[in-house]
Each structure stands twice: as C-alpha cells, then as structure tokens.
C-alpha cells in the first residue's frame, strides 16, 4: 500500500478508506506493508499500535517543506500536477523499487495519483506482481469544477493551472499500472475525455472500486434524537468544495427556508472551518460547530441533511453517512454522481429555488422525510458497506494476478 499521508486522524475520506482497507486486508489474512508520508497529522501511541497490528511493516517517510518545495520545482519543470510534485519522495521510491525487484509483493496498491510516480513501471512486465492505481476520481474534473466556483482570483488561477497539468497527467498515468480504480461512470468518462484531448489511447484498464461507510456507527435516528427544524451539512470545512457548497446554500437557499420557517436552524458541522464559514456563525439561525467528537450525533439530530456540492468528484462520504443514519437528504446531482442513489432514497436538485422547495417540504412533511430516510438506509446497507466494496476489490486482485500469470495466447475470457 502506497499512500501520500498518514491514515490518522481519520478526518478525510481517503484516510478513512485507507484505514478501513488495511483493517480488512489484515482480517482476511493478507500481509501488508504500508509506505506512507509523514503528512497531515501525528500518530498517537494507540494509532501507531493499530498500524503495527494491521500491517507487516509500516514505513513512514518524512516530507519536509524543503522537500515539498524541491519537488514542486522539479515537477513544474516536468509539467507534473502540483499535487503530485509536492509528494515526490526519493527515499520512498528507491526502497519500494528494491522491494518490488526482490519479489516481495503480489500486489502494489497505490492510493491516489499523488504517489503514482513512486511505483515502478517495470511491474507491468513482471508476471508475478500486479499494480493498482486507486485514482478514485478524475482530479481534472474536480479541479475544473473548483476553479469554476472559486471566489478568490489567485486560487482560481491555481486551480486552472492544476486542471491543465492534471489533464495531461491523467491521460497517461493509467498506462503505468495493470489496473486503475475509479468510483463511477462520470470519472471514467472524464479520464477518457482527457485521453482523447491529449491524443492518448482511451483508458481500458479501469475497474469500479468505491468505498463504504460504517453502518454500525451511522445508525438510524430515534424520533427523540431529532430536533425539529434542524438542517445539517457535515464535512471538513477546510476543504474548498465543502466551503463552496455551504456558501452557495447559505446565499441561495437558506433565505427561502428561513422565510418559510423562521425558527429553522442550519448546522455546519466539520473540523477547521475556513474564515468565510466562521463568519456565518450566529447569523440567521446558523451554527458553526468546528470539530466534534462524533459527527454521527448531530447528523442523527437533523430533520433534513443537505449536500449541495458544486465541485468534487468521485463519491461523497457525507452523503452515505446521512443516508446510513436514515436521514432525508437533498443533494445536488454532483453530490450523487458517484453514489447514484435512486429518487426513492434521495432528492436531487441543482437550482436554488427547487433545492429550497425540497428542504421546506421535508420540514413540513415528517412522514415523507421518514419514508425517504428509511429507503436511504436500505440503499446503503445493500450497496455501500465497506465489506461489499473491499470484497469486490479483493476479487480484482486475484483476477488480475491470475490473468497476468496465464500463458501467452490463452484467452482471458471463459468459453
């Protein structure tokens, strides 16, 4: 497992996915070596012990600001995306290559494109090892949307530059791996488009590989838990797409909801709120919580949950957490892109007036909200548990190995 940041604290969707995948693989009897950078957090003693229990070895590489700056300079010269450049780590790359050359691994699994350059391309011609790139979402699509909705001129320029660099990178990087993992059709099509734009063959080694949610932690709320008139958005409030989504909702939807329900409250739950989010606290029935011990508690207290994403791709953890909690949800089509929930389980609206109307209706019709929430949880239990997706991924590991070891000329398809 090759990763670009520490799996703890599990505050981001990718951290939760990597930690749960490590736990799953260990429980299934696989031996896992984790190669990761000392970025975005410090491990507690308990977290270090957890990693040691679930991994054969844990290799953590320092990534200083000087190293990030050097990587950025070298990356710009080679036209690499900024988010790939700053995670360049020569020691990780060298030690991983040595272990691969020694035949230590059946599978090399790289999570996110940031550390893709660390994985030896030679694996493609190695019959005993397969390489997987968990691209997950199209970063080109993601940064393009972020640029479109960014208010800061400087940040918008950076996102546009990153979109150009990532477009070029995504059109090629998949060719260095045996399999590329993407969450849904929108991401597959976005990468295909980049291939066409840059004159590359269209990606043909993709598999679907999403992630799930903890249905024991996110449980259906009891009626006594619900606070009438409470609307909630939950997510990291330092993450630009979440900030954009909340500001859009507050400016374009919330005034209509408050006009219809003056006592309604909008709770913005999530760690490290940006300054623009903190400014909303206490205004027009808005409560900005900051970091909370258990996000599930406040989610269960909501009468309605919202996810009005304007940017970001792949899948939305917050959305399946809402749904696993049996909540009535109003979301944008972008938010539902990766999860593809049916209309029986989720209301999808993109225009401000329609979004507001849906929220107001759910506040006024508790029975409708309850039915929607029940269907939402049923959908998550059937489609979005961790185990389901990881068992599918494990099958892909075995299938890729079997196909690669098959003698040349033998069909990959059953007769």
């Amino acid at each position: 497992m090759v990763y670009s940041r520490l799996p703890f604290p599990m505050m981001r969707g990718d951290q939760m996915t990597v930690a749960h995948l490590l736990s799953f693989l260990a429980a299934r009897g696989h031996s896992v070596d984790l190669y990761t950078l000392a970025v975005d957090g410090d491990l507690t003693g308990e977290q270090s012990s957890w990693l040691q229990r679930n991994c054969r070895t844990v290799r953590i590489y320092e990534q200083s600001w000087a190293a990030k700056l050097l990587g950025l300079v070298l990356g710009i010269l080679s036209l690499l995306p900024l988010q790939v450049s700053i995670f360049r780590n020569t020691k990780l790359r060298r030690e991983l290559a040595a272990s691969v050359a020694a035949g230590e691994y059946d599978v090399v699994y790289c999570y996110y494109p940031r550390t893709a350059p660390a994985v030896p391309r030679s694996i493609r011609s190695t019959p005993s090892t397969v390489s997987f790139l968990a691209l997950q979402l199209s970063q080109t699509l993601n940064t393009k949307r972020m640029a479109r909705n960014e208010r800061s001129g400087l940040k918008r320029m950076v996102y546009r530059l990153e979109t150009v660099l990532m477009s070029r990178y995504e059109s090629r990087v998949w060719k260095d791996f045996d399999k590329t993992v993407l969450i849904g059709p929108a991401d597959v099509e976005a990468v295909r488009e980049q291939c066409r734009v840059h004159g590359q063959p269209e990606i043909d080694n993709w598999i679907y590989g999403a992630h799930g949610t903890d249905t024991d932690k996110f449980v259906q709320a009891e009626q006594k838990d619900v606070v009438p008139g409470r609307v909630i958005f939950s997510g990291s409030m330092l993450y630009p797409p979440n900030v954009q989504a909340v500001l859009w909702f507050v400016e374009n939807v919330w005034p209509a909801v408050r006009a219809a329900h003056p006592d309604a409250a909008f709770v913005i739950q999530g760690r490290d709120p940006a300054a623009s989010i903190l400014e909303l606290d206490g205004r027009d029935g808005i409560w900005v919580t900051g970091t909370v011990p258990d996000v599930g508690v406040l989610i269960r207290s909501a009468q309605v949950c919202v996810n009005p994403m304007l940017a970001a791709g792949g899948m939305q953890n917050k959305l399946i957490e809402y749904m696993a909690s049996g909540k009535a949800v109003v979301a944008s089509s972008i938010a539902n892109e990766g999860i593809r929930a049916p209309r029986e389980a989720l209301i999808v609206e993109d225009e401000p007036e329609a979004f507001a109307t849906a929220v107001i209706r759910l506040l006024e019709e508790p029975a409708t909200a309850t039915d929607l929430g029940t269907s939402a949880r049923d959908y998550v239990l059937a489609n979005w548990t961790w185990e389901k997706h990881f068992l599918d991924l494990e099958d892909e590991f075995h299938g890729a190995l079997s196909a690669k070891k098959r003698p040349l000329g033998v069909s990959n398809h059953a007769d």
Side-chain angles (χ1 to χ4, degrees), residues 168-278:
R168 178 179 179 273
Y169 188 68
E170 277 189 346
S171 73
R172 296 169 168 82
V173 67
W174 61 271
K175 295 189 291 184
D176 297 334
F177 292 81
D178 292 295
K179 295 290 181 181
T180 303
V181 185
L182 288 162
I183 284 174
D187 298 293
V188 173
E189 182 50 41
V191 176
R192 281 176 171 162
E193 181 183 353
Q194 307 321 313
C195 295
R196 293 191 291 266
V197 166
H198 293 280
Q200 297 292 323
E202 286 193 13
I203 184 171
D204 61 2
N205 66 348
W206 58 270
I207 61 170
Y208 286 138
H211 44 274
T213 196
D214 188 341
T215 53
D216 292 327
K217 175 182 177 181
F218 294 98
V219 297
Q220 194 143 13
E222 298 180 21
Q223 191 56 45
K224 64 181 178 61
D225 298 327
V226 178
V227 178
R230 178 172 285 182
V231 179
I232 282 187
F233 179 95
S234 179
S236 169
M237 293 317 305
L238 188 64
Y239 182 46
N242 286 346
V243 174
Q244 292 173 359
V246 167
L247 293 178
W248 178 87
F249 180 82
V250 168
E251 293 172 5
N252 297 285
V253 177
W254 189 237
V257 176
R258 283 276 285 183
H261 294 272
D263 294 331
F266 180 41
V267 180
I268 304 169
Q269 170 180 250
R271 69 182 188 90
D272 302 326
S276 58
I277 299 299
L278 285 173

Side-chain angles (χ1 to χ4, degrees), residues 208-370:
Y208 286 138
H211 44 274
T213 196
D214 188 341
T215 53
D216 292 327
K217 175 182 177 181
F218 294 98
V219 297
Q220 194 143 13
E222 298 180 21
Q223 191 56 45
K224 64 181 178 61
D225 298 327
V226 178
V227 178
R230 178 172 285 182
V231 179
I232 282 187
F233 179 95
S234 179
S236 169
M237 293 317 305
L238 188 64
Y239 182 46
N242 286 346
V243 174
Q244 292 173 359
V246 167
L247 293 178
W248 178 87
F249 180 82
V250 168
E251 293 172 5
N252 297 285
V253 177
W254 189 237
V257 176
R258 283 276 285 183
H261 294 272
D263 294 331
F266 180 41
V267 180
I268 304 169
Q269 170 180 250
R271 69 182 188 90
D272 302 326
S276 58
I277 299 299
L278 285 173
E279 291 172 1
L280 301 173
D281 190 37
R283 193 183 89 189
D284 300 326
I286 298 173
W287 172 28
V288 178
T289 70
T291 303
V292 298
D294 184 350
V295 297
V297 173
L298 277 175
I299 289 175
R300 285 192 293 277
S301 77
Q303 193 172 352
V304 180
C305 291
V306 295
N307 194 9
M309 302 303 290
L310 308 174
M315 65 167 288
Q316 294 284 305
N317 287 290
K318 66 181 73 63
L319 186 53
I320 53 176
E321 289 170 0
Y322 296 160
M323 296 172 72
S325 301
K327 295 284 101 179
V329 183
V330 185
S332 66
S333 54
I334 287 175
N336 191 41
E337 205 168 57
I339 294 170
R340 305 182 294 281
R343 62 184 180 182
E344 295 82 14
L346 179 73
I347 295 176
V348 175
E349 298 290 356
D350 290 314
E351 297 302 320
E353 184 177 351
F355 205 108
T357 298
V359 173
I360 292 167
R361 178 190 170 208
L362 292 172
L363 290 176
E364 294 176 347
E365 299 179 10
T368 301
T370 298

Side-chain angles (χ1 to χ4, degrees), residues 28-277:
R28 297 283 291 177
H30 300 286
S31 295
V32 181
D33 290 352
L34 174 65
Y35 295 73
T36 191
L37 301 178
V39 173
D40 291 339
D42 295 312
L43 295 175
T44 66
E46 183 181 353
Q47 290 163 350
S48 293
S49 297
W50 186 94
L51 284 174
Q52 295 296 335
R53 289 195 305 272
N54 285 278
C55 301
R56 184 177 70 170
T57 64
V58 179
R59 306 186 185 194
I60 300 175
Y61 299 84
E62 294 297 323
Q63 190 73 358
S64 66
W65 279 107
K68 291 179 180 179
L69 183 59
L70 176 61
L72 187 62
V73 171
L74 295 175
I76 289 174
L77 293 175
S78 55
L79 298 180
L80 284 175
L82 306 181
Q83 61 184 286
V84 175
S85 302
I86 64 173
F87 291 104
R88 178 181 180 272
N89 190 290
T90 302
K91 186 177 181 182
L92 186 158
R93 184 173 187 167
R94 182 176 63 247
E95 292 188 0
L96 176 61
S99 295
V100 168
E104 291 191 29
Y105 306 123
D106 299 302
V107 179
V108 174
Y109 189 82
C110 179
Y111 196 92
Y112 272 4
R114 296 170 178 175
T115 45
V119 178
R121 296 180 182 179
S122 59
I123 294 177
R124 290 299 306 271
S125 57
T126 304
S128 58
T129 306
V130 292
S131 58
F132 279 64
L133 172 61
L135 202 59
Q136 298 299 101
L137 54 90
S138 167
Q139 292 290 350
T140 304
L141 180 62
N142 189 23
T143 53
K144 183 186 298 184
R145 288 169 171 171
M146 290 167 70
R148 185 171 64 222
N149 295 288
E150 179 54 56
R151 302 179 183 202
S152 163
L154 178 60
K155 289 182 179 180
R156 188 163 57 248
M157 182 176 67
V158 171
Y159 288 142
R160 285 174 176 169
L161 171 62
E162 185 72 343
T163 299
V164 172
L165 296 174
M166 185 55 76
S167 171
R168 178 179 179 273
Y169 188 68
E170 277 189 346
S171 73
R172 296 169 168 82
V173 67
W174 61 271
K175 295 189 291 184
D176 297 334
F177 292 81
D178 292 295
K179 295 290 181 181
T180 303
V181 185
L182 288 162
I183 284 174
D187 298 293
V188 173
E189 182 50 41
V191 176
R192 281 176 171 162
E193 181 183 353
Q194 307 321 313
C195 295
R196 293 191 291 266
V197 166
H198 293 280
Q200 297 292 323
E202 286 193 13
I203 184 171
D204 61 2
N205 66 348
W206 58 270
I207 61 170
Y208 286 138
H211 44 274
T213 196
D214 188 341
T215 53
D216 292 327
K217 175 182 177 181
F218 294 98
V219 297
Q220 194 143 13
E222 298 180 21
Q223 191 56 45
K224 64 181 178 61
D225 298 327
V226 178
V227 178
R230 178 172 285 182
V231 179
I232 282 187
F233 179 95
S234 179
S236 169
M237 293 317 305
L238 188 64
Y239 182 46
N242 286 346
V243 174
Q244 292 173 359
V246 167
L247 293 178
W248 178 87
F249 180 82
V250 168
E251 293 172 5
N252 297 285
V253 177
W254 189 237
V257 176
R258 283 276 285 183
H261 294 272
D263 294 331
F266 180 41
V267 180
I268 304 169
Q269 170 180 250
R271 69 182 188 90
D272 302 326
S276 58
I277 299 299

